[in-house]
Amino acid sequence: MGKSYERIDGRLRAFIEAQHIFFTATAPLDGGGTVNLSPKGLDGSFAVLDELTVAYLDFAGSNAETIAHLRENGRITLMWCAFDGPPKIVRVHGRGEPVFRDDARWAELMGYFPDIEPTLHGLRAIIVVTAEQIRDTCGYAVPFMTYDEDRPLHASRFARESDESLDVYFQKKEHIATSIDGLPGLPLPLPPLARAE
């Protein structure tokens, strides 16, 4: 039933962009390492950059496993499920890279996320993924669920942080600078967030 795609366009792109949540999966090269699976939400924090490239905003949190795994080996899978409408699951298997605040590409990439105010969420990186394989499957067992709205808790928690206090927060967390398996995670000290001119 599954189908492979050469690019992210047309109805496939429309489906991906309409979803309110997606999931990311990464793992270290060490076969005994910890596989990481993360939900990603917040409308406006995901963008299709071109037919083979997508990106999403990586916000403050208690871990940085995805960043650590991408820095080590670049492997990532993103998955979207249809929780309403016709059943469908889409996976993009590819190579990802964390782009940090002090990267020369930062300002251009932020242009893809016009509805997000970065200072409200402790934005720490932009994850850019180049698709190597794009597939869909039926999703017949995925339940119907309704979307009400984004939770306001993340913004209310991190909006009160300055770059300096956010860096202190990250320094205190056990698995931000270093992953669960001891891989380099988020580079600290956190570079300042560039202000719009």
Side-chain angles (χ1 to χ4, degrees):
M1 289 185 178
K3 181 180 176 182
S4 294
Y5 299 85
E6 293 185 3
R7 59 188 60 86
I8 302 167
D9 61 4
R11 286 185 292 182
L12 182 67
R13 177 174 180 164
F15 170 80
I16 288 173
E17 291 179 330
Q19 305 314 305
H20 298 286
I21 186 172
F22 65 99
F23 302 87
T24 66
T26 59
L29 291 176
D30 180 354
T34 306
V35 175
N36 186 65
L37 177 64
S38 295
K40 303 294 179 184
L42 191 59
D43 280 349
S45 65
F46 173 84
V48 177
L49 307 190
D50 62 42
E51 293 179 336
L52 291 176
T53 313
V54 300
Y56 69 88
L57 302 180
D58 181 78
F59 299 117
S62 298
N63 294 300
E65 297 303 300
T66 301
I67 286 174
H69 296 160
L70 293 180
R71 291 181 71 189
E72 185 206 35
N73 61 66
R75 298 177 305 163
I76 188 168
T77 297
L78 301 117
M79 183 183 77
W80 296 262
C81 300
F83 293 112
D84 59 10
K88 182 189 280 283
I89 298 170
V90 172
R91 290 179 181 88
V92 170
H93 306 269
R95 295 282 166 181
E97 174 191 11
V99 175
F100 299 113
R101 293 165 156 212
D102 55 353
D103 190 293
R105 298 168 291 172
W106 182 270
E108 179 184 353
L109 287 169
M110 280 304 300
Y112 287 96
F113 307 97
D115 298 330
I116 297 293
E117 171 49 56
T119 59
L120 295 181
H121 297 280
L123 182 58
R124 57 190 189 180
I126 302 169
I127 306 298
V128 179
V129 177
T130 302
E132 295 180 334
Q133 187 176 61
I134 306 159
R135 292 190 47 81
D136 70 6
T137 51
C138 67
Y140 289 169
V142 175
F144 283 113
M145 292 192 283
T146 59
Y147 168 80
D148 294 327
E149 62 186 14
D150 286 340
R151 293 179 192 260
L153 297 174
H154 196 274
S156 64
R157 163 61 186 91
F158 288 101
R160 61 181 181 253
E161 301 283 359
S162 65
D163 285 343
E164 295 76 20
S165 66
L166 194 58
D167 186 64
V168 170
Y169 170 82
F170 289 148
Q171 298 277 4
K172 289 180 181 177
K173 293 293 183 181
E174 184 179 6
H175 299 300
I176 295 287
T178 306
S179 78
I180 292 170
D181 300 309
L183 296 172
L186 186 69
L188 297 174
L190 186 69
L193 189 61
R195 303 294 178 207
E197 300 190 12

